[in-house]
Amino acid sequence: MTASPSRPAPHASSSGSSGPGSAGVRPCDIQNLSISASARSGAPNQWVIEVYNTGAGACSLSSSPGVDLGDGAARDRSKNIRPVLASGTARFTVQAGQKAYAVVDLDPSGATTGTAQGVNEINVLVDQDGTNMPLADIRNFPLPGGVRVLDPRMGRYCAGVAEAAASAATAGK
């Protein structure tokens, strides 16, 4: 099931259809992207961010999306939690009509105690280094009640969900 984005937050390929960024591919324009976030089937601590390029040509995204986790009703977002990122800085190319996937693991340890309280929203800026995506382009997705967040990890954009999940597992290592 895919969550629908709510209001914007007040804060701050070599082969196949998608792949590593390359010189000359323009950054993606938010107007040509469809963005969703949903729990990964069989791994409820992992959330999949899916970015679909609805534009007429290829475009590129930062190596991973800008993500933070917090209370959607909070006025002060300075205490939101930012996941540890997987290494890599290369931009990711998304061909027209294709998708890019990134996975955030909210609680890689599977802890049931010591987790952050009040986290009910994931905030996503799909191109965190693109100068054409201001913070107003952040999309917010509600998280279900009882979600556990402890030491979250964020993977790089990949052409498939399994590859994106494997990337998240390398974050911080």
Side-chain angles (χ1 to χ4, degrees):
M1 180 170 146
T2 301
S4 299
S6 60
R7 63 180 167 48
H11 66 301
S13 159
S14 34
S15 65
S17 60
S18 302
S22 59
V25 177
R26 65 179 171 69
C28 293
D29 182 335
I30 194 73
Q31 304 302 324
N32 294 325
L33 299 175
S34 173
I35 305 152
S36 64
S38 59
R40 183 173 179 217
S41 180
N45 288 340
Q46 296 181 357
W47 276 68
V48 178
I49 298 164
E50 178 183 281
V51 181
Y52 176 62
N53 180 359
T54 61
C59 64
S60 69
L61 297 166
S62 53
S63 60
S64 61
V67 168
D68 70 33
L69 307 154
D71 180 349
R75 287 183 173 206
D76 178 8
R77 304 284 179 125
S78 66
K79 293 185 173 127
N80 282 9
I81 300 166
R82 293 186 167 270
V84 173
L85 300 176
S87 64
T89 58
R91 292 188 65 79
F92 187 82
T93 300
V94 186
Q95 300 298 328
Q98 299 298 313
K99 296 176 183 177
Y101 300 93
V103 170
V104 59
D105 192 336
L106 303 177
D107 182 10
S109 69
T112 57
T113 61
T115 57
Q117 300 297 309
V119 175
N120 64 11
E121 185 173 75
I122 182 170
N123 307 300
V124 178
L125 182 62
V126 295
D127 190 348
Q128 64 179 332
D129 3 280
T131 57
N132 64 332
M133 283 198 197
L135 292 179
D137 289 333
I138 290 174
R139 298 297 185 259
N140 314 100
F141 301 92
L143 293 170
V147 69
R148 291 186 173 101
V149 177
L150 181 65
D151 196 22
R153 306 295 167 141
M154 179 82 236
R156 294 180 308 277
Y157 279 119
C158 297
V161 174
E163 183 183 2
S167 172
T170 69
K173 296 180 181 176

